[in-house]
């Protein structure tokens, strides 16, 4: 009888076990490298794999995820900060079932939030009751406090680079800052607008050469490349993700491959001990594994 009771309890825990959320921060250092385009298309490609995806436009003062998708949200994060709306109340539906948390545009106050306010925003995600498999955080360009706060709070940091000296230099500066001052050790590097797979790998090798020389405990992983593709430009003009507007294009196929790779990355099995997005779901999942969650 005791064994049956234990089996039933274990079964109930498995059924009630909270599902951890995969959190990916997309950063770049330099602006203009296609970071938001990558965030949006990666989100839709993950949705096509059956994942429930949430996109957080974390460029708080210069929002552009909604613009890229042709959306016109009535409310945004500035209304959450003022207390007028909750995070759940500003959610907007995007393509393929992707949900979007829109930021504001042209409001200087939003671009000047303190680290404490960023932390409050990260904690606010714990109040969301929606079902989420993946959170994609589209950070601002540069190395501002918001980029640091949101990158640290993610499980994976995807660094987008293209073959320009400034892009490589700024990507290294971002990696160095997050590593030296905030102990982030692993980065996934994604090369954009590559004219060939070889060019993408050579660009990755350039960054590895610099980090290997100056940073002792950094691990760079080559996530892959998005090729230069005219269909991507056409999709941007149509305000649609290329994976939906031109699904047979080289860029769309690359995003599908990148989504499959990201979906295969191991999930953390325990909280990291610092502020993270959806950390309570990870803690409760860990507790359920130990039989500490009813």
């Amino acid at each position: 009888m005791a064994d049956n009771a234990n089996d039933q309890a274990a079964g109930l825990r498995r059924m009630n076990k909270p599902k951890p959320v995969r959190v990916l921060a997309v950063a770049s250092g330099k602006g203009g490298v296609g970071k938001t385009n990558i965030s949006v298309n990666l989100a839709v490609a993950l949705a096509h794999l059956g994942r429930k995806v949430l996109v957080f436009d974390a460029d708080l003062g210069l929002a552009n995820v909604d613009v890229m998708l042709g959306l016109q949200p009535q409310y945004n994060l500035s209304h959450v900060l003022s207390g007028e709306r909750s995070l759940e109340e500003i959610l907007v539906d995007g393509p393929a079932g992707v949900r979007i948390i829109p930021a504001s545009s042209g409001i200087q106050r939003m671009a000047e939030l303190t680290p404490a306010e960023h932390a409050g925003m990260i904690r606010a995600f714990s109040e969301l009751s929606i079902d989420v498999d993946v959170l994609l955080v589209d950070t601002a360009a540069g190395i501002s406090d918001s980029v640091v706060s949101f990158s640290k709070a993610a499980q994976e940091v995807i660094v987008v680079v293209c073959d320009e000296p400034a892009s490589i230099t700024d990507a290294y500066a971002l990696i160095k800052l997050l590593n030296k001052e905030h102990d982030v050790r692993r980065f996934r590097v994604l090369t954009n607008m590559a004219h060939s797979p070889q060019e993408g790998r050579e660009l990755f090798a350039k960054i590895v050469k610099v980090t290997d020389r100056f940073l002792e405990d950094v691990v760079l992983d080559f996530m892959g490349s998005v090729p230069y593709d005219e269909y991507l430009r056409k999709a941007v003009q149509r305000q649609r993700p290329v994976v939906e507007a031109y699904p047979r294009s080289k860029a769309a196929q690359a995003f599908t491959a990148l989504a499959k790779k990201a979906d295969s990355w191991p999930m953390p099995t325990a909280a990291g001990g610092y502020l993270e997005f959806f950390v309570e779901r990870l803690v409760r999942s860990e507790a359920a594994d130990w039989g500490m969650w009813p």
Side-chain angles (χ1 to χ4, degrees):
M1 289 288 288
D3 288 342
N4 286 341
N6 288 338
D7 289 345
Q8 286 180 346
L12 283 170
R13 279 197 298 273
R14 281 193 297 273
M15 289 170 63
N16 295 327
K17 179 181 174 180
K19 182 172 56 178
V21 178
R22 186 186 299 281
V23 185
L24 313 174
V26 183
S28 64
K30 181 183 180 296
V33 299
K35 174 179 54 58
T36 298
N37 211 333
I38 281 169
S39 297
V40 166
N41 279 284
L42 191 56
V44 175
L46 282 161
H48 287 169
L49 295 179
R51 304 293 170 254
K52 294 179 176 66
V53 184
L54 178 63
V55 175
F56 171 27
D57 189 343
D59 194 344
L60 304 178
L62 291 170
N64 49 12
V65 169
D66 54 339
V67 175
M68 188 156 283
L69 293 173
L71 303 172
Q72 296 180 322
Q74 185 176 1
Y75 302 106
N76 58 55
L77 279 167
S78 69
H79 298 98
V80 176
L81 196 70
S82 68
E84 296 173 62
R85 290 288 181 272
S86 69
L87 205 56
E88 197 147 340
E89 288 173 327
I90 69 166
L91 286 174
V92 179
D93 292 329
V98 171
R99 312 287 295 278
I100 293 143
I101 295 176
S104 60
S105 190
I107 299 178
Q108 188 170 2
R109 160 85 176 104
M110 292 299 293
E112 297 173 345
L113 299 184
T114 65
E117 288 171 318
H118 294 144
M121 204 168 284
I122 293 165
R123 290 191 188 96
F125 279 77
S126 297
E127 299 168 14
L128 288 174
S129 60
I130 62 171
D131 192 10
V132 184
D133 296 315
V134 184
L135 170 64
L136 264 162
V137 183
D138 181 40
T139 70
I143 53 174
S144 65
D145 286 341
S146 74
V147 175
V148 170
S149 296
F150 298 141
S151 295
K152 278 172 58 182
Q155 298 151 7
E156 303 281 358
V157 180
I158 298 170
V159 180
V160 180
V161 293
C162 61
D163 197 7
E164 298 175 8
S167 174
I168 298 168
T169 302
D170 290 0
Y172 170 72
L174 174 66
I175 291 168
K176 179 182 177 183
L177 173 67
L178 287 171
N179 174 250
K180 289 284 191 182
E181 297 189 25
H182 304 282
D183 203 32
V184 179
R185 299 182 182 182
R186 183 178 64 207
F187 300 85
R188 312 282 187 172
V189 177
L190 193 161
T191 58
N192 194 23
M193 296 179 277
H195 288 88
S196 69
Q198 182 181 356
E199 183 183 281
R201 285 205 162 271
E202 287 174 354
L203 179 53
F204 172 67
K206 288 179 185 177
I207 297 176
V208 170
K209 186 176 181 181
V210 179
T211 54
D212 281 355
R213 182 176 178 186
F214 297 107
L215 303 175
E216 294 179 2
D217 59 348
V218 164
V219 176
L220 297 188
D221 177 60
F222 183 52
M223 184 176 177
S225 290
V226 176
Y228 180 85
D229 189 342
E230 276 298 312
Y231 282 108
L232 194 59
R233 185 180 61 83
K234 290 179 181 179
V236 170
Q237 289 174 336
R238 292 177 59 189
Q239 293 180 295
R240 292 188 63 196
V242 73
V243 292
E244 292 211 327
Y246 304 104
R248 295 185 179 180
S249 65
K250 289 182 180 178
Q253 291 173 17
F255 280 117
T256 298
L258 290 166
K260 289 177 179 176
K261 180 174 278 191
D263 196 50
S264 71
W265 291 338
M267 289 286 288
T269 56
Y274 41 82
L275 186 63
E276 299 173 65
F277 288 103
F278 292 113
V279 68
E280 85 296 336
R281 299 194 190 189
L282 192 58
V283 170
R284 282 160 49 192
S285 176
E286 184 185 4
D289 285 337
W290 286 93
M292 297 164 62
W293 191 262

